[in-house]
Amino acid sequence: MAEFDYLIVGAGLFGAVFAHEAKKNNKKCLVIDRRSHAGGNIYCENKDGINVHKYGAHIFHTNDKPIWDYVNSFVEFNRYTNSPMALYNGEMYNLPFNMNTFYQLWKVKTPEEAQAKIQEQVASLNITNPQNLEEQALSLVGTDVYEKLIKGYTEKQWGRDAKDLPAFIIKRLPVRFTFDNNYFNDKYQGIPVGGYNKLTEALFAGTEVRLGVDYIANRAEFDQLADTVVFTGQIDEYYNYRFGQLEYRSLRFEHEHLNIPNFQGNAVVNYTERQVPFTRIIEHKHFEFGTQPTTVITREYPQEWKSGDEPYYPINDDKNTQLFKQYQQLAEAETKVIFGGRLAEYRYYDMHQVIGAALAKTKKIFPA
Ligand code: UDP
């Protein structure tokens, strides 16, 4: 008999939800992580009372009431609404693309005028069936919005020409003909009061978490500890890269602690010009309406990923999708390993989707 029912590799959100649900069903889990802290990429570091999103801004949003109720059962969420600003060529624009943006661009005052302006630009392009991000964006919002607010940002974010990127990436962003700067269309949105660590700590309560340990390097030893492994790391690494390496887009964060109370007046300002090397500046205190005397800002630099770097975004192009499918076939044949989360499923997951996936998985294993 192994000591644990489940060994959960990776203390991120998938692992946290799995651990909580397993515990509720009287299963004993051991969670391990390479990092020196739990929480994966939603982990926050406290600086002067400010929760710094160390691995990039995380804003919780969902349309799914059960998922919203689920997270709120562990920690209260505040009323933060993401309304990023974009800075292009010295001018500020509201995001996502809405009547405020269209007024700032063209001084149009009504939805009809804005639609006519976009239609005029779209019509001259003759795109019938958008095949890539550039065509998708152009056919949605026309040339001006694309050139000023999308092209530069997207190409530095992904390190690729917008013509070589999948269209779905841009479909994440709403286009609205109302004066509404809410970045998300979802019904529910907010940030945990007191930061994301409150959420992960609550999910891991009562479960042993060992930090700073490497599963891959000590696999045989760890496998003995549990009946089943829940693996949330990179699936290609799990299989020793036997079919080749999956690619990612990485990020580098430059954190700065400033002795002023308010740097940019908003949590997120996107720099949509190609020439500015970072994509955005995050001012963390504004996620929680902080009134501290100092502030922490983070410049986010997209980076080409190489082995050993933090893998942030999967590159869901044809080549990588095919490669992932090969690994997925191996994964599906496993009887004692469960794969889950952004890295194991190689998906551009938002937090609510990770939680949804973990709950779906645990519901199957532990039917009520
Ligand atoms: N995007 C853009 N301009 C912006 C913000 C986003 O063109 O000012 C595009 C870009 O291609 C990006 C995609 O929209 O990759 C999705 O943006 P989102 O903010 O959802 O990305 P995340 O926060 O997940 O990095």
Side-chain angles (χ1 to χ4, degrees):
M1 272 286 285
E3 191 183 343
F4 296 94
D5 295 300
Y6 293 96
L7 170 75
I8 301 175
V9 182
L13 203 45
F14 189 96
V17 171
F18 195 101
H20 180 80
E21 294 304 309
K23 185 175 179 289
K24 236 170 47 187
N25 286 279
N26 302 312
K27 300 293 176 196
K28 200 173 163 201
C29 298
L30 171 65
V31 181
I32 59 172
D33 201 293
R34 275 176 187 161
R35 287 182 178 162
S36 60
H37 60 74
N41 286 355
I42 67 175
Y43 170 75
C44 293
E45 199 170 76
N46 197 287
K47 278 253 157 71
D48 252 5
I50 300 164
N51 288 308
V52 177
H53 297 214
K54 262 201 79 168
Y55 303 95
H58 283 79
I59 299 140
F60 197 90
H61 58 96
T62 182
N63 245 331
D64 189 313
K65 176 101 167 48
I67 290 180
W68 181 243
D69 290 342
Y70 186 78
V71 293
N72 275 273
S73 72
F74 299 102
V75 54
E76 188 191 344
F77 275 62
N78 71 16
R79 59 152 190 87
Y80 177 79
T81 300
N82 197 32
S83 305
M85 296 298 296
L87 187 61
Y88 176 85
N89 211 3
E91 303 280 340
M92 306 273 306
Y93 299 95
N94 285 106
L95 292 175
F97 317 122
N98 75 90
M99 282 305 295
N100 288 305
T101 329
F102 306 141
Y103 175 71
Q104 290 149 353
L105 278 166
W106 307 308
K107 290 286 171 289
V108 291
K109 298 179 188 69
T110 64
E112 203 182 336
E113 286 168 10
Q115 270 153 345
K117 188 86 193 164
I118 290 173
Q119 262 326 305
E120 174 192 310
Q121 298 190 356
V122 173
S124 63
L125 298 166
N126 277 319
I127 301 169
T128 42
N129 183 16
Q131 292 300 314
N132 55 55
L133 194 152
E134 175 166 295
E135 291 180 4
Q136 179 71 58
L138 282 170
S139 61
L140 276 176
V141 286
T143 328
D144 286 350
V145 173
Y146 178 67
E147 295 293 336
K148 293 185 175 173
L149 301 176
I150 299 177
K151 186 176 162 62
Y153 185 97
T154 296
E155 294 189 341
K156 61 185 169 179
Q157 167 80 351
W158 297 98
R160 281 161 177 71
D161 198 291
K163 290 191 199 69
D164 299 326
L165 287 163
F168 81 86
I169 292 177
I170 199 72
K171 286 194 209 146
R172 291 166 59 88
L173 303 193
V175 179
R176 281 194 205 113
F177 294 92
T178 51
F179 290 90
D180 178 359
N181 298 323
N182 185 347
Y183 200 62
F184 302 113
N185 280 327
D186 289 343
K187 243 192 223 160
Y188 311 102
Q189 180 174 180
I191 303 277
V193 173
Y196 281 96
N197 299 358
K198 293 255 187 274
L199 175 63
T200 46
E201 280 161 15
L203 286 165
F204 283 129
T207 299
E208 184 181 344
V209 182
R210 287 186 204 161
L211 298 169
V213 292
D214 191 353
Y215 170 75
I216 298 288
N218 308 286
R219 195 189 290 230
E221 180 191 321
F222 280 118
D223 282 348
Q224 284 176 10
L225 297 179
D227 297 327
T228 305
V229 172
V230 178
F231 187 80
T232 73
Q234 291 166 244
I235 190 166
D236 56 345
E237 187 180 15
Y238 183 88
Y239 288 112
N240 257 315
Y241 308 105
R242 72 174 74 162
F243 303 125
Q245 278 200 332
L246 288 165
E247 293 172 306
Y248 299 86
R249 190 74 183 144
S250 198
L251 298 169
R252 182 171 64 83
F253 298 107
E254 214 174 77
H255 305 288
E256 205 179 336
H257 194 169
L258 303 173
N259 210 8
I260 52 169
N262 192 359
F263 173 75
Q264 62 184 17
N266 204 32
V268 185
V269 177
N270 288 0
Y271 287 72
T272 58
E273 274 160 82
R274 189 74 186 83
Q275 292 81 340
V276 179
F278 45 86
T279 47
R280 48 190 167 191
I281 300 186
I282 305 301
E283 188 169 13
H284 302 268
K285 69 191 309 177
H286 298 308
F287 287 127
E288 298 180 65
F289 316 105
T291 54
Q292 299 85 352
T294 65
T295 194
V296 180
I297 62 166
T298 301
R299 290 184 183 81
E300 193 172 313
Y301 296 83
Q303 266 199 332
E304 204 55 48
W305 175 86
K306 52 180 183 357
S307 196
D309 290 348
E310 289 289 348
Y312 283 100
Y313 298 95
I315 309 271
N316 296 106
D317 60 8
D318 289 344
K319 182 181 129 205
N320 285 288
T321 303
Q322 286 311 318
L323 184 55
F324 171 67
K325 279 192 183 146
Q326 289 183 271
Y327 286 116
Q328 200 180 21
Q329 274 182 357
L330 297 181
E332 276 163 6
E334 302 281 359
T335 53
K336 291 189 157 311
V337 193
I338 295 165
F339 293 86
R342 185 176 46 98
L343 298 174
E345 297 181 60
Y346 198 63
R347 281 189 54 186
Y348 186 177
Y349 262 149
D350 287 333
M351 288 177 283
H352 67 284
Q353 295 168 316
V354 175
I355 293 171
L359 288 175
K361 190 71 98 188
T362 50
K363 251 189 210 124
K364 259 200 209 148
I365 305 172
F366 315 115

Coordinates of all heavy atoms in Angstrom, one line a residue, residues 57 82 85-86 95 97 133 149-155 157-158 165 169-173 183-184 251 270-272 279-280 300 313 348 350, ligand 1:
A57 N 0.0 39.6 -14.4 CA -1.3 40.0 -13.9 C -2.3 38.8 -14.1 O -2.4 38.3 -15.2 CB -1.8 41.2 -14.6
N82 N -11.5 44.9 -15.0 CA -10.3 45.2 -15.8 C -10.6 46.2 -16.9 O -11.5 45.9 -17.7 CB -9.7 43.9 -16.3 CG -8.2 44.2 -16.8 OD1 -7.5 45.0 -16.2 ND2 -7.8 43.5 -17.9
M85 N -5.7 50.6 -20.3 CA -5.5 51.7 -21.2 C -4.4 51.2 -22.2 O -3.6 50.4 -21.9 CB -5.1 53.0 -20.5 CG -6.0 53.5 -19.5 SD -7.6 54.1 -20.2 CE -7.1 55.4 -21.3
A86 N -4.5 51.8 -23.4 CA -3.4 51.5 -24.4 C -2.7 52.9 -24.7 O -3.4 53.9 -24.7 CB -4.0 51.0 -25.6
L95 N -9.4 50.4 -23.8 CA -9.5 49.0 -24.2 C -10.7 48.4 -23.4 O -11.0 48.9 -22.4 CB -8.3 48.2 -24.0 CG -7.0 48.6 -24.8 CD1 -5.8 47.8 -24.4 CD2 -7.3 48.4 -26.3
F97 N -11.8 47.3 -27.5 CA -12.2 48.2 -28.5 C -13.7 48.5 -28.3 O -14.6 47.7 -28.5 CB -12.0 47.6 -29.9 CG -10.6 47.0 -29.9 CD1 -10.4 45.6 -30.3 CD2 -9.4 47.7 -29.6 CE1 -9.1 45.1 -30.2 CE2 -8.2 47.2 -29.6 CZ -8.0 45.8 -29.9
L133 N -4.4 35.7 -37.6 CA -4.8 36.8 -36.6 C -4.9 38.1 -37.3 O -5.8 38.9 -37.1 CB -3.7 36.8 -35.5 CG -4.1 37.7 -34.3 CD1 -3.4 37.1 -33.1 CD2 -3.8 39.1 -34.5
L149 N -3.5 49.5 -32.4 CA -3.7 48.9 -31.1 C -3.4 47.4 -31.1 O -3.4 46.7 -30.0 CB -5.1 49.2 -30.6 CG -5.4 50.7 -30.4 CD1 -6.9 50.9 -30.0 CD2 -4.5 51.3 -29.3
I150 N -3.3 46.8 -32.3 CA -3.2 45.3 -32.3 C -1.8 44.8 -32.8 O -1.1 44.1 -32.2 CB -4.3 44.7 -33.1 CG1 -5.7 45.0 -32.5 CG2 -4.1 43.2 -33.2 CD1 -6.9 44.5 -33.2
K151 N -1.5 45.3 -34.0 CA -0.3 44.7 -34.7 C 1.0 44.7 -33.9 O 1.6 43.7 -33.7 CB -0.1 45.5 -36.1 CG 1.0 44.9 -37.0 CD 1.0 45.6 -38.3 CE 2.3 45.4 -39.0 NZ 2.5 44.0 -39.4
G152 N 1.4 45.9 -33.4 CA 2.6 46.0 -32.7 C 2.6 45.2 -31.4 O 3.6 44.5 -31.1
Y153 N 1.5 45.3 -30.7 CA 1.4 44.6 -29.4 C 1.5 43.1 -29.7 O 2.3 42.3 -29.0 CB 0.1 44.9 -28.7 CG -0.1 44.3 -27.4 CD1 0.2 45.1 -26.2 CD2 -0.6 43.0 -27.2 CE1 0.0 44.5 -25.0 CE2 -0.8 42.5 -25.9 CZ -0.5 43.2 -24.8 OH -0.7 42.7 -23.6
T154 N 0.7 42.6 -30.6 CA 0.6 41.2 -30.9 C 2.0 40.6 -31.4 O 2.4 39.6 -31.0 CB -0.4 41.0 -32.0 OG1 -1.7 41.4 -31.5 CG2 -0.5 39.5 -32.4
E155 N 2.6 41.4 -32.3 CA 3.9 40.9 -32.8 C 5.0 40.8 -31.8 O 5.8 39.9 -31.8 CB 4.2 41.6 -34.1 CG 3.2 41.3 -35.2 CD 3.5 41.8 -36.6 OE1 4.4 42.7 -36.7 OE2 2.9 41.3 -37.5
Q157 N 4.3 40.5 -28.5 CA 3.9 39.5 -27.6 C 4.3 38.1 -28.0 O 4.7 37.3 -27.3 CB 2.4 39.6 -27.4 CG 1.7 38.4 -26.7 CD 1.9 38.5 -25.2 OE1 2.6 39.3 -24.6 NE2 1.2 37.6 -24.5
W158 N 4.1 37.8 -29.3 CA 4.3 36.4 -29.8 C 5.6 36.3 -30.6 O 5.9 35.1 -31.0 CB 3.0 36.0 -30.7 CG 1.8 36.0 -29.8 CD1 0.9 37.0 -29.7 CD2 1.4 35.0 -28.9 NE1 -0.1 36.7 -28.8 CE2 0.2 35.5 -28.3 CE3 1.9 33.8 -28.5 CZ2 -0.5 34.7 -27.4 CZ3 1.2 33.0 -27.6 CH2 0.0 33.5 -27.0
L165 N 0.0 33.8 -36.9 CA -0.7 33.5 -35.6 C -2.1 33.0 -35.8 O -2.8 33.5 -36.7 CB -0.6 34.7 -34.7 CG 0.8 35.0 -34.2 CD1 0.8 36.5 -33.6 CD2 1.2 34.0 -33.1
I169 N -6.7 33.8 -31.0 CA -6.1 34.7 -29.9 C -6.8 36.0 -29.8 O -7.0 36.5 -28.7 CB -4.5 34.9 -30.3 CG1 -3.8 33.6 -30.1 CG2 -3.9 35.9 -29.3 CD1 -2.3 33.7 -30.5
I170 N -7.1 36.6 -31.0 CA -7.7 37.9 -31.0 C -9.2 37.9 -30.6 O -9.8 38.8 -30.2 CB -7.4 38.7 -32.3 CG1 -7.6 40.2 -32.1 CG2 -8.2 38.2 -33.4 CD1 -6.5 40.8 -31.2
K171 N -9.8 36.7 -30.8 CA -11.2 36.6 -30.5 C -11.5 36.6 -29.0 O -12.6 36.7 -28.6 CB -11.7 35.3 -31.1 CG -11.9 35.3 -32.6 CD -12.7 34.1 -33.1 CE -12.3 33.7 -34.5 NZ -12.5 32.3 -34.8
R172 N -10.4 36.6 -28.2 CA -10.6 36.7 -26.8 C -11.1 38.2 -26.5 O -11.6 38.4 -25.4 CB -9.2 36.6 -26.1 CG -8.7 35.2 -26.1 CD -7.2 35.2 -25.7 NE -6.9 35.7 -24.4 CZ -7.0 35.0 -23.2 NH1 -7.3 33.8 -23.3 NH2 -6.7 35.6 -22.1
L173 N -10.7 39.1 -27.3 CA -11.0 40.5 -27.0 C -12.4 40.9 -27.5 O -12.7 40.7 -28.7 CB -10.0 41.4 -27.6 CG -8.5 41.2 -27.2 CD1 -7.7 42.4 -27.6 CD2 -8.4 41.0 -25.7
Y183 N -12.9 45.0 -19.9 CA -12.1 44.1 -20.8 C -12.8 42.8 -21.1 O -12.5 42.1 -22.1 CB -10.8 43.9 -20.2 CG -9.7 43.5 -21.2 CD1 -9.3 44.3 -22.3 CD2 -9.0 42.3 -21.0 CE1 -8.3 44.0 -23.1 CE2 -8.0 41.9 -21.9 CZ -7.6 42.8 -22.9 OH -6.6 42.4 -23.8
F184 N -13.6 42.3 -20.1 CA -14.2 41.0 -20.3 C -15.7 41.1 -20.5 O -16.4 42.0 -19.9 CB -13.9 40.2 -19.0 CG -12.4 40.0 -18.8 CD1 -11.8 40.6 -17.7 CD2 -11.6 39.3 -19.7 CE1 -10.4 40.5 -17.5 CE2 -10.2 39.2 -19.5 CZ -9.7 39.8 -18.4
L251 N 8.1 35.1 -20.8 CA 8.0 36.5 -20.4 C 9.1 36.8 -19.4 O 9.6 35.9 -18.7 CB 6.7 36.7 -19.6 CG 5.4 36.5 -20.4 CD1 4.2 36.6 -19.4 CD2 5.2 37.6 -21.5
N270 N -1.2 49.1 -21.6 CA -0.6 48.4 -22.7 C 0.2 49.4 -23.6 O -0.3 50.5 -23.9 CB -1.6 47.7 -23.6 CG -2.3 46.5 -22.9 OD1 -2.0 46.2 -21.7 ND2 -3.2 45.9 -23.6
Y271 N 1.4 49.0 -24.0 CA 2.2 49.8 -24.9 C 2.1 49.1 -26.2 O 2.8 48.1 -26.4 CB 3.6 49.9 -24.3 CG 3.7 50.9 -23.1 CD1 3.2 50.5 -21.9 CD2 4.2 52.1 -23.2 CE1 3.2 51.3 -20.8 CE2 4.2 53.0 -22.2 CZ 3.7 52.6 -21.0 OH 3.7 53.5 -19.9
T272 N 1.3 49.7 -27.1 CA 1.0 48.9 -28.3 C 2.0 49.2 -29.5 O 1.8 48.7 -30.6 CB -0.5 49.2 -28.7 OG1 -0.7 50.6 -29.0 CG2 -1.4 48.7 -27.7
T279 N 5.4 45.0 -23.4 CA 4.0 45.0 -23.8 C 3.1 45.8 -22.9 O 2.2 46.5 -23.3 CB 3.4 43.6 -24.0 OG1 3.7 42.9 -22.8 CG2 3.9 42.9 -25.2
R280 N 3.4 45.7 -21.6 CA 2.5 46.4 -20.7 C 3.2 46.8 -19.3 O 4.2 46.1 -19.0 CB 1.2 45.7 -20.4 CG 1.4 44.2 -20.1 CD 0.1 43.5 -20.1 NE 0.3 42.0 -20.1 CZ -0.7 41.1 -20.3 NH1 -1.9 41.5 -20.5 NH2 -0.4 39.8 -20.2
E300 N 6.5 44.2 -18.5 CA 6.4 42.8 -19.0 C 7.0 42.7 -20.4 O 6.5 43.3 -21.3 CB 4.9 42.4 -19.0 CG 4.7 41.0 -19.2 CD 3.2 40.6 -19.0 OE1 2.6 41.1 -18.1 OE2 2.6 39.9 -19.9
Y313 N 3.1 30.9 -22.3 CA 2.0 30.7 -23.3 C 2.3 29.5 -24.2 O 3.4 29.5 -24.9 CB 1.8 31.9 -24.1 CG 1.4 33.1 -23.4 CD1 2.4 34.1 -22.9 CD2 0.1 33.4 -23.1 CE1 2.0 35.2 -22.2 CE2 -0.3 34.5 -22.4 CZ 0.6 35.4 -22.0 OH 0.3 36.6 -21.3
Y348 N -4.0 27.4 -23.8 CA -4.0 28.8 -23.4 C -5.2 29.0 -22.4 O -6.2 29.5 -22.8 CB -4.1 29.7 -24.6 CG -3.9 31.2 -24.4 CD1 -4.0 32.0 -25.5 CD2 -3.8 31.8 -23.2 CE1 -3.8 33.4 -25.4 CE2 -3.6 33.2 -23.0 CZ -3.7 34.0 -24.2 OH -3.6 35.3 -24.0
D350 N -7.4 30.2 -19.2 CA -7.6 31.2 -18.1 C -7.8 30.5 -16.8 O -8.1 29.3 -16.8 CB -8.8 32.1 -18.5 CG -8.5 33.1 -19.6 OD1 -7.3 33.4 -19.8 OD2 -9.4 33.4 -20.3
Ligands
UDP1 N1 -4.0 42.4 -27.9 C1 -3.7 43.4 -28.7 N2 -3.6 44.7 -28.2 C2 -3.8 44.9 -26.8 C3 -4.1 43.8 -26.0 C4 -4.2 42.5 -26.6 O1 -3.6 43.3 -29.9 O2 -3.6 46.0 -26.4 C5 -4.1 41.0 -28.6 C6 -2.8 40.3 -28.6 O3 -2.7 39.6 -29.7 C7 -2.9 39.4 -27.4 C8 -4.4 39.0 -27.4 O4 -5.0 40.2 -27.9 O5 -2.1 38.3 -27.5 C9 -5.0 38.5 -26.1 O6 -4.8 39.5 -25.1 P1 -5.0 39.2 -23.6 O7 -5.0 40.5 -22.9 O8 -6.3 38.4 -23.5 O9 -3.7 38.3 -23.3 P2 -3.1 37.8 -21.9 O10 -3.6 38.8 -20.8 O11 -3.6 36.5 -21.7 O12 -1.7 37.9 -22.1

